[in-house]
Structure formats: C-alpha cells, structure tokens
Amino acid sequence: MTDKINELLKVVEQFQTDSWDEAEEFRIRLLSKKGQISLLFNDFKSLPPDEKREVGQQLNTLKEAALQKVNQIKQRLEEEIIKSQGSDKYPDLSLPAEFHHTGSRHPISIVRNQINSIFEKIGFVISEGPEIEDDWHNFSALNFADEHPARDMQDTFFVEKNPDIALRTHTSSVQVRVMKNQKPPIRTISPGRVFRNEAISARAHCIFHQVEGLYIDKDVSFADLKHVLNHFAQEFFGKESRIRLRPSYFPFTEPSAEMDVSCPFCKGKGCNICKGTGWVEIMGCGMVDPNVLENCGIDSTVYSGYAFGMGIERITMLKYMVNDLRLYFENDMRFLKQFSSAH
Ligand code: DAH
C-alpha cells in the first residue's frame, strides 16, 4: 500500500497542465468518490491496526498534496484568464459608469394612451375583445350583407372556413361583444390590433390599430356624437382645431359620416399633407343601426346610440409626421429613439 501511495505522490508532484479541463480530469481521476485516492482510503479500512497509523498519515499527505496541486493549477489558470481579458480582480471604481439605453414607448402606444385618456376623462371605459373572431361578431351582427366585399378572401385573413373564423378586420367587433354582455347605458372605447389582407406599402399594411367608441343610452342623438368628437379633436389636436362631418356609409351605422379635422400642419390654410383642402379625414362614425342593437339584444325602440372608429396609425402620422406605415412595424431603433421624450 505504501508503494502505491508513493507512486501516486510522484504522479501528483509531476503533474502540470495549462488546460482547465485536464486539471479537472486529474481531480476526478484521483479525488472523486471512485478516484484512485478514495479507493486507497477504502483499502485502508481493512489494514491491521498496527499499520493504520503510519499508512493513514501517508494517505492524508497524498490527499492534501493532490488537492493543493489541483487548486494551484486552477488558480493560476483563472488569473491568466483575467489578465488576458485586460481586467483586474478589483475594478477601477473611478471609471465612468457604462451607458445604458433607456427604452421608450412605441409611438402607437403613446397615441393610443392619449386617446384612451381623453375618453376616460369623460366617462368612457376601456373594453377589449379577441383578435381572432367569428364571422358573426366581425360581420353579421354588424349588419354586413352576405355578399359584402369586406367578407371576401381578398380583404380578410381567414383562420378557418365553415364556420368562418378570421382575424378581426376592425375593432367594431368589440362593440358587439360589449352590447351582448352589458345592459345600457354603455359608454366604452376599444383600442386594438386589426388585420387586413393588403399588400404592404407606405400607405397600407396588413396589421394596424384602431380605437372604437360606443355610446348607448336613452335619447342619444347625432348632436351628442358631434359634441364628443369635437371635444376629442380639441383635446388631441389643440383648442383651435375644428371638425366637419361628411355623409358616408357603413353597414352598422345609420346615418353614417366621415369626420375631418382641420389640418394640424397648416391650420386649415392648405398644404401638401391635406392636399390643399385644409382638412384631413380621421374617422368614421354614425348612429348605431337599429338592426345592430337588435342583433345584440338591445331594444331599439327604447335605446339609441352612436359609434365611431379611428385608425391609430393615421392619427399618429398626423401628430408626428410619419409618412410611411412600415416604420411602425420594423422596430428600427433610429425611428423608435425619436419618441423617447414622449410618454
Ligand atoms: N369599422 C370601420 C372601419 O374599420 C370604422 C368605423 C366606422 C367604426 C364607423 C365605427 C363607425 O364605429 O361608426 O373602417
């Protein structure tokens, strides 16, 4: 046994390496549970008592030597790595701190939050609905005729056919969910993502964002709608803003209108943003069609209401003069950084 110990002691003394892995292998070979030294400790148990004292000391010396060797090598290698990385164990506390980039909100989120807060202050509550919708919530309940072109494959991303499940093409679907689940009076706005099967260009995208508004109560009139929209325009675009409503058509409102705001860039004088007209279109609106109320279980002889819907990208474009829709989705830091002072 003593011979074996001396043999291993020599091995330990001679061992040298510049490789961390080899040092670790060496430790395992000698010192792990089934390593050579541990096996010697097992044999040691069966020695006659008079040999135990001396051999025990030798074994302990061997184990200590092996441990020391491994630790020395590892410490040396560690120091070399630190040196080669050019840093020291103790950092230089007088160095200036590293610069951290602070994130900023996306311009669409900034504008959505502003729109939300303008309406929340006058009693609207936020409601949300699913981005994957069935045909009934997205079209039928909203009075779209069966042959309406918006149902067409060219406009809508279908997830399943028969029964039709699609990515919602507008946030008006949330109106339906709210009216089905709540009793009037209802005063809600629904911001969210919508999807249309469009070729991507500076002026069109297959994903964009809308905010939908809905107010249902007894005796709601078109004058109420006009008043609220005027309030919104003045809060968002400034007190000098004016609005105008032009007759239009949507299946879910009757009468329907499109709302223009006086051009925020030229203040109505005419520029290339408003194509010289002094007005820019920002949303669709109207009185909720009685068919829609009935489809959602609301008595149209007792209740009436208005609805409106606007595209957040368009409003953001008017606020920040961003004229390419693709910029909103590319997440280019050079674009996003420009909004870091807004919130
Ligand atoms: N859903 C319409 C669209 O996506 C926008 C809209 C128009 C919403 C009129 C309304 C509304 O609530 O009354 O183009």
Side-chain angles (χ1 to χ4, degrees):
M1 183 132 182
T2 306
D3 288 348
K4 263 194 193 166
I5 294 174
N6 286 335
E7 213 176 282
L8 276 179
L9 206 54
K10 255 192 212 137
V11 172
V12 171
E13 273 165 13
Q14 281 166 10
F15 180 72
Q16 210 33 271
T17 179
D18 286 331
S19 144
W20 184 278
D21 290 346
E22 272 176 32
E24 182 59 10
E25 259 168 42
F26 179 76
R27 184 190 67 78
I28 292 168
R29 182 149 52 86
L30 269 71
L31 292 159
S32 67
K33 263 194 178 162
K34 289 186 181 156
Q36 287 166 310
I37 295 177
S38 312
L39 294 179
L40 286 179
F41 270 102
N42 285 347
D43 298 346
F44 166 80
K45 285 180 201 146
S46 48
L47 284 182
D50 55 326
E51 283 182 35
K52 271 195 167 160
R53 195 181 142 83
E54 204 187 326
V55 177
Q57 271 176 1
Q58 291 170 347
L59 258 179
N60 279 332
T61 313
L62 171 65
K63 188 178 171 187
E64 260 318 294
L67 268 174
Q68 251 190 29
K69 189 66 166 235
V70 172
N71 290 341
Q72 266 171 14
I73 293 176
K74 286 190 171 176
Q75 197 177 344
R76 174 173 57 78
L77 292 176
E78 230 168 43
E79 280 166 9
E80 278 171 13
I81 291 169
I82 290 172
K83 258 192 216 147
S84 71
Q85 286 173 344
S87 65
D88 206 2
K89 239 187 181 168
Y90 303 102
D92 181 353
L93 296 176
S94 65
L95 284 173
E98 264 179 50
F99 179 73
H100 286 282
H101 291 281
T102 315
S104 56
R105 282 197 202 287
H106 193 282
I108 295 293
S109 305
I110 296 169
V111 169
R112 180 204 55 207
N113 292 348
Q114 282 173 354
I115 297 172
N116 284 352
S117 103
I118 291 171
F119 285 104
E120 279 180 309
K121 278 188 193 140
I122 54 172
F124 284 72
V125 293
I126 294 174
S127 51
E128 287 181 330
E131 292 178 354
I132 298 177
E133 265 298 7
D134 54 50
D135 180 86
W136 191 78
H137 287 91
N138 197 74
F139 295 125
S140 301
L142 288 163
N143 206 30
F144 278 79
D146 280 346
E147 69 283 3
H148 195 285
R151 288 170 180 254
D152 203 292
M153 276 297 212
Q154 283 160 4
D155 274 313
T156 308
F157 284 117
F158 286 94
V159 177
E160 268 172 41
K161 277 298 231 174
N162 278 331
D164 288 353
I165 308 286
L167 300 182
R168 67 177 176 200
T169 57
H170 54 180
T171 42
S172 303
S173 56
V174 187
Q175 280 190 24
V176 177
R177 291 191 172 269
V178 173
M179 284 192 272
K180 281 236 77 164
N181 294 328
Q182 292 172 29
K183 289 206 158 53
I186 293 169
R187 209 185 280 148
T188 187
I189 51 161
S190 320
R193 252 196 311 202
V194 300
F195 308 84
R196 286 188 201 171
N197 198 352
E198 305 250 9
I200 296 171
S201 71
R203 315 201 62 199
H205 210 291
C206 56
I207 308 177
F208 54 101
H209 299 78
Q210 291 185 330
V211 175
E212 186 80 13
L214 178 72
Y215 182 30
I216 309 284
D217 204 347
K218 288 179 182 152
D219 301 324
V220 178
S221 72
F222 202 92
D224 297 318
L225 169 63
K226 203 171 162 185
H227 175 74
V228 158
L229 296 184
N230 192 44
H231 172 74
F232 167 71
Q234 298 203 341
E235 288 292 301
F236 191 89
F237 293 106
K239 283 281 170 251
E240 71 289 355
S241 296
R242 301 183 53 220
I243 64 164
R244 76 175 183 189
L245 292 161
R246 285 178 289 105
S248 184
Y249 172 78
F250 298 101
F252 35 90
T253 42
E254 182 59 36
S256 304
E258 239 140 352
M259 179 184 125
D260 297 342
V261 64
S262 50
C263 178
F265 296 106
C266 63
K267 312 285 175 219
K269 286 190 202 81
C271 66
N272 62 351
I273 300 283
C274 59
K275 301 199 184 75
T277 63
W279 297 97
V280 282
E281 183 195 319
I282 61 164
M283 67 171 101
C285 60
M287 301 306 291
V288 179
D289 192 302
N291 287 345
V292 176
L293 294 176
E294 295 295 336
N295 288 342
C296 300
I298 292 177
D299 187 345
S300 64
T301 61
V302 180
Y303 293 103
S304 57
Y306 62 70
F308 55 87
M310 60 189 123
I312 306 184
E313 277 76 1
R314 178 144 181 82
I315 310 259
T316 310
M317 181 248 150
L318 292 175
K319 177 149 185 147
Y320 294 118
M321 262 192 112
V322 178
N323 53 13
D324 189 333
L325 275 175
R326 290 167 294 197
L327 287 166
Y328 293 124
F329 298 96
E330 280 165 357
N331 283 337
D332 186 329
M333 291 287 282
R334 290 167 302 178
F335 173 68
L336 296 175
K337 264 185 190 167
Q338 298 175 60
F339 302 93
S340 54
S341 59
H343 33 250

